[in-house]
Amino acid sequence: MVSGGGTGIGKATAAAFAAAGDQVVILGRREEVLRAAADEIGERHGKDTIAWLAADLAEPEQVRRAVASVAEDGEVDVVVTNAGGNVAFTTDGSLEGIADGYRRNFDANVLTAVLLTEALIPHLRRPGGRIVHLSSIAAVRGPGSYGGAKAALHAYTYELAARLGADGVTANAVAPGFVGETEFFGDRATPEFVASRVDATLTGRPGRPEEIAAAIQYLASPAAAYVTGQVLHINGGTVLGR
């Protein structure tokens, strides 16, 4: 299961699993986006490799219904919590506005990951289940409400690794830097903005969704059975030593 699977990194991740012959379910809030992504992936890799479910993963009842639907087909091998994004780039500067921004980013990035994961834990394959959270370079360098939300996923990853390790279930996080070909920055992604992000790397280019997907796919593989409780930073050297 890949949340936020309709676009960007989530879509690339779903496509990578489908290309390997896995059965993938993508989740998100926008039915039309999910349907289009599933149709595209199905055309390339087989219609039986991909399905979609629309749900607001910050709402417990919607998470419960989505997981119940998937669990009817048996165990879940992998959950990738990619839903989220910086939904509060700016505030009006008031305490009320700041509080609203922090709550919105917590809901969008933390609750969507925690509720889906907790609902799926009883259905994860044992041994061999894999949990991969999508963090961000922002967890180690800001901005505040978004970076704080992503940093919270690191703590949650460590908790899960300790809780589920004896069952043979791993939990890790992937923290991308600047990645092109996504909706993340929206209208802010002007040529000047993109250039500033690329200039901060040591590789002189943005990351690609497929590169992040490849790291996720590794962490979900049998080859990564001894990797748990880790945060894998992929940022072109923008931040060293993480």
Side-chain angles (χ1 to χ4, degrees):
M1 296 184 73
V2 180
S3 68
T7 62
I9 292 171
K11 180 180 174 183
T13 300
F17 282 115
D22 297 313
Q23 292 181 308
V24 186
V25 179
I26 56 175
L27 303 97
R29 291 180 300 170
R30 297 177 294 174
E31 292 188 13
E32 66 282 3
V33 172
L34 293 170
R35 183 181 295 108
D39 287 346
E40 180 183 332
I41 293 169
E43 284 294 323
R44 281 189 285 158
H45 305 299
K47 295 188 182 300
D48 60 342
T49 64
I50 186 81
W52 61 271
L53 287 170
D56 183 342
L57 299 177
E59 295 294 332
E61 188 53 38
Q62 293 192 41
V63 174
R64 193 175 288 115
R65 287 199 299 267
V67 169
S69 175
V70 171
E72 291 176 356
D73 295 327
E75 292 180 311
V76 174
D77 299 291
V78 180
V79 54
V80 180
T81 66
N82 174 70
N86 191 345
V87 298
F89 279 116
T90 61
T91 75
D92 61 9
S94 68
L95 292 182
E96 290 79 7
I98 292 168
D100 177 67
Y102 270 81
R103 291 189 182 106
R104 288 169 60 202
N105 264 329
F106 187 88
D107 286 354
N109 295 283
V110 181
L111 279 187
T112 57
V114 172
L115 295 182
L116 180 62
T117 301
E118 293 294 330
L120 281 171
I121 283 174
H123 308 287
L124 282 175
R125 182 178 300 280
R126 288 169 168 77
R130 301 284 186 264
I131 300 166
V132 184
H133 298 306
L134 262 293
S135 177
S136 168
I137 192 173
V140 296
R141 62 182 298 175
S145 64
Y146 177 66
K150 289 302 189 182
L153 289 182
H154 296 186
Y156 183 52
T157 297
Y158 305 149
E159 175 200 333
L160 288 171
R163 196 197 322 171
L164 301 174
D167 292 338
V169 175
T170 66
N172 295 285
V174 173
F178 180 65
V179 177
E181 304 171 40
T182 75
E183 296 182 331
F184 185 87
F185 291 103
D187 293 340
R188 298 176 69 222
T190 62
E192 295 77 17
F193 180 91
V194 171
S196 71
R197 292 302 191 271
V198 170
D199 287 345
T201 72
L202 303 182
T203 56
R205 67 170 178 85
R208 297 190 294 270
E210 293 77 12
E211 293 172 321
I212 311 305
I216 293 168
Q217 199 168 26
Y218 163 69
L219 290 173
S221 73
Y226 198 49
V227 181
T228 195
Q230 304 301 312
V231 179
L232 176 57
H233 289 268
I234 308 174
N235 55 51
T238 302
V239 174
L240 297 174
R242 298 283 185 173

